Amino acid sequence: MLNKAEHYKFDEPNLFDQKLIEEGYVFEGYVKQLIASWQDAASFDYQAVFETDHLYARLDLAKHRDDGSIDIYEIKSSTSVKKEQLQDAAFQALVAEQGGVSVGKIFVVHLNKDYVRDGDVEPHKLVAISDETIRVRSTMREISDKVSEAVELLAREEIDESSCSCLTVGRARHCNSFEYFNPNIPTPSIYNLPRISGSKLAKFLADGRFSLDDIDLSEVTGQQKFVLEAHQNGGQYIDSADITNFFSTLKYPLYFLDYEAYGSAIPPTDGLKPHAHLPFQFSLHVLSEDGVLTHHEYLAEQMGLPIKLIEALERFIGPTGSVITWHKTYENSRNQDMAAIYPSKSDFLNDIIDRTVDLEDVFKTGYVDIAFGGSTSIKKVLPVIAPDLTYEGLDIAGGTEAMAGWAEFIVEENSAKKNKLRDDLLAYCKLDTLAMVKVFQFVEELL
Ligand code: SF4
């Protein structure tokens, strides 16, 4: 690949990636404020660079000690220390030491998960510093071996392009070069089987079996069976009893509910912790037993805790009837968060949680189309079931875009631009719940 960079499909950072990058810079700003308040601030150095013949490392933060050694500070805007962060720090320590600098302590600087904003952000409360010297040192041999392997690979004039090692892992871990190295994998393939284990993949690989045509039902489990059956049936797997069972749990009126929430490393308003999700919008379609469909919605006009959103929900969601969501963990988590912020609303919110069912479940065990590609995301299901209902053409067409759009909306002073953003936000969220209604009605008719 050294001379074939054109074969790698570089993805532009998406909105979510960009947001993470920007939040990282904001957090680093608070770390700088904190360090600046320390007596030994002058001994800290941002973006120090270490190099060897083959390696290059730029440290987030280094402290220069009197004896010539350094302490390493890896800055991460997460609320806990993760394995890959230890590996990053290990790489930096490795390069520094191979460059002839002695490394003393190794720290990971991260967000304090217990911090609750109250007024201006206070860096000494927001920032947590973990001494990870022992854990980082314990990974350095492994990182050193991997670095040597990578250097050796990069130095080769030619490499084996007949396949690559990601054949043994699920598609979530494939990079953009998977098809380049493995052009003969059919569609659909064993990689469309949900949650397939490494050992099962290894077995199919050893037999040279990539097509679903070559897999027997006795060899797969859980959701994999339904995907394989859909393939074997020529497209769909339908378990009427399972779907009937889902419908038997429903009580009218049906409330199709979807939240949009703003997540941010630094709490954007008082009362929130780092990376809390602040609901700012909902769309609610209500379907009565006689088929009448009504729509309600709410969009916060300014940054703040969601009391008005809850009050709007109280106006529109009555005391009986099922609440239908897609991937209910998300909506239920937002309801739990809001109940924790407003104990006086917890009865209402907990009742909603109790009444919530997950329409996605139907597409895990009751109805599987091979065209879903092994996924149960509504973004995969909707184009197959209701191709006329599309997100294409919307100026806001995804959760991260909605977050970015709302952040712009609440500070926009130009009324024309503000109205456009409002319309875009409302249209996107409304489509999310209308999509659920259409999918629900499709399954109902199927029965
Ligand atoms: S798919 Fe995996 S093994 Fe293949 S090129 Fe990408 S990262 Fe490397």
Side-chain angles (χ1 to χ4, degrees):
M1 289 299 280
L2 186 63
N3 300 314
K4 296 185 179 179
E6 70 278 11
H7 287 291
Y8 187 79
K9 288 182 256 162
F10 283 99
D11 288 331
E12 289 295 319
N14 59 31
L15 261 182
F16 186 72
D17 295 335
Q18 288 170 18
K19 186 169 182 297
L20 288 183
I21 292 166
E22 282 162 19
E23 287 182 355
Y25 288 134
V26 174
F27 180 54
E28 196 172 304
Y30 287 114
V31 175
K32 284 181 177 170
Q33 283 183 33
L34 176 67
I35 304 275
S37 71
W38 290 355
Q39 281 188 339
D40 56 352
S43 60
F44 283 86
D45 183 10
Y46 291 90
Q47 309 288 315
V49 169
F50 294 91
E51 286 180 86
T52 69
D53 286 347
H54 300 295
L55 308 177
Y56 176 96
R58 192 166 58 184
L59 275 55
D60 291 335
L61 181 60
K63 177 185 164 98
H64 296 276
R65 309 191 73 91
D66 294 341
D67 61 2
S69 66
I70 60 164
D71 292 339
I72 289 177
Y73 291 74
E74 174 82 358
I75 303 175
K76 298 290 181 190
S77 55
S78 57
T79 50
S80 60
V81 179
K82 298 186 166 58
K83 184 180 168 197
E84 55 274 18
Q85 296 168 354
L86 300 176
Q87 292 173 334
D88 280 356
F91 176 77
Q92 292 173 358
L94 189 80
V95 180
E97 288 181 342
Q98 287 188 2
V101 176
S102 171
V103 174
K105 296 267 186 191
I106 304 166
F107 300 92
V108 175
V109 183
H110 56 94
L111 290 155
N112 171 11
K113 68 178 171 44
D114 297 321
Y115 170 69
V116 180
R117 181 165 179 171
D118 181 13
D120 289 341
V121 172
E122 297 167 282
H124 67 285
K125 292 183 180 171
L126 175 74
V127 177
I129 301 177
S130 301
D131 183 348
E132 297 290 349
T133 311
I134 294 172
R135 289 210 291 168
V136 172
R137 288 273 171 214
S138 71
T139 68
M140 281 184 70
R141 168 57 69 86
E142 182 197 345
I143 296 300
S144 174
D145 290 347
K146 283 189 173 167
V147 166
S148 300
E149 271 176 44
V151 169
E152 190 268 326
L153 184 72
L154 286 168
R156 282 190 222 163
E157 286 294 319
E158 288 193 358
I159 60 170
D160 176 9
E161 295 187 4
S162 63
S163 70
C164 71
S165 58
C166 274
L167 283 173
T168 57
V169 297
R171 64 181 170 171
R173 290 167 64 189
H174 296 171
C175 83
N176 286 344
S177 294
F178 184 79
E179 283 172 20
Y180 176 82
F181 284 108
N182 310 286
N184 298 320
I185 305 289
T187 305
S189 72
I190 52 173
Y191 298 102
N192 290 106
L193 295 171
R195 297 165 189 252
I196 187 161
S197 67
S199 57
K200 202 174 281 181
L201 275 175
K203 182 175 183 304
F204 296 157
L205 287 180
D207 302 340
R209 293 187 289 158
F210 292 100
S211 167
L212 292 182
D213 292 338
D214 301 328
I215 309 300
D216 190 82
L217 267 179
S218 63
E219 298 179 286
V220 291
T221 52
Q223 277 177 259
Q224 296 162 11
K225 268 190 192 300
F226 309 134
V227 173
L228 185 55
E229 278 201 55
H231 175 70
Q232 290 176 344
N233 296 343
Q236 285 127 17
Y237 163 82
I238 300 170
D239 182 342
S240 302
D242 185 83
I243 301 173
T244 304
N245 190 35
F246 174 83
F247 272 76
S248 70
T249 64
L250 301 180
K251 288 193 174 63
Y252 280 86
L254 303 178
Y255 298 95
F256 295 84
L257 175 66
D258 183 68
Y259 290 138
E260 298 303 326
Y262 186 82
S264 170
I266 311 298
T269 191
D270 287 359
L272 292 182
K273 290 183 174 182
H275 287 297
H277 294 261
L278 173 68
F280 61 83
Q281 178 178 13
F282 70 74
S283 170
L284 182 74
H285 273 94
V286 186
L287 184 63
S288 69
E289 195 154 15
D290 52 8
V292 176
L293 186 66
T294 50
H295 181 247
H296 308 280
E297 59 196 354
Y298 171 84
L299 177 65
E301 297 278 330
Q302 57 193 31
M303 177 62 75
L305 294 181
I307 185 64
K308 287 185 180 166
L309 180 145
I310 300 171
E311 287 168 353
L313 272 182
E314 285 178 317
R315 284 198 295 281
F316 302 133
I317 296 188
T320 57
S322 301
V323 177
I324 299 185
T325 62
W326 195 284
H327 198 67
K328 70 177 181 181
T329 315
Y330 184 78
E331 267 67 29
N332 280 352
S333 297
R334 302 296 72 78
N335 287 329
Q336 282 166 355
D337 294 345
M338 291 192 287
I341 296 171
Y342 296 109
S344 64
K345 301 294 183 188
S346 62
D347 285 350
F348 169 69
L349 292 164
N350 285 327
D351 181 50
I352 290 189
I353 291 172
D354 292 342
R355 290 158 56 193
T356 296
V357 295
D358 196 341
L359 188 54
E360 186 182 16
D361 287 346
V362 171
F363 296 88
K364 289 179 179 166
T365 53
Y367 184 93
V368 176
D369 194 309
I370 197 66
F372 299 159
S375 167
T376 56
S377 158
I378 195 161
K379 299 281 189 301
K380 295 282 183 191
V381 171
L382 188 67
V384 179
I385 281 181
D388 295 343
L389 206 60
T390 172
Y391 290 81
E392 275 175 34
L394 293 183
D395 283 337
I396 289 178
T400 309
E401 286 175 29
M403 241 195 272
W406 183 66
E408 220 182 310
F409 166 71
I410 55 176
V411 295
E412 182 59 65
E413 290 179 355
N414 178 300
S415 61
K417 285 185 186 167
K418 195 174 180 82
N419 288 339
K420 167 84 171 76
L421 283 164
R422 182 188 289 108
D423 291 347
D424 290 344
L425 285 161
L426 292 175
Y428 166 64
C429 201
K430 183 177 182 180
L431 187 54
D432 270 347
T433 50
L434 185 60
M436 278 196 276
V437 174
K438 295 294 175 197
V439 169
F440 172 84
Q441 289 174 330
F442 172 89
V443 180
E444 194 178 32
E445 278 174 27
L446 199 76
L447 278 186

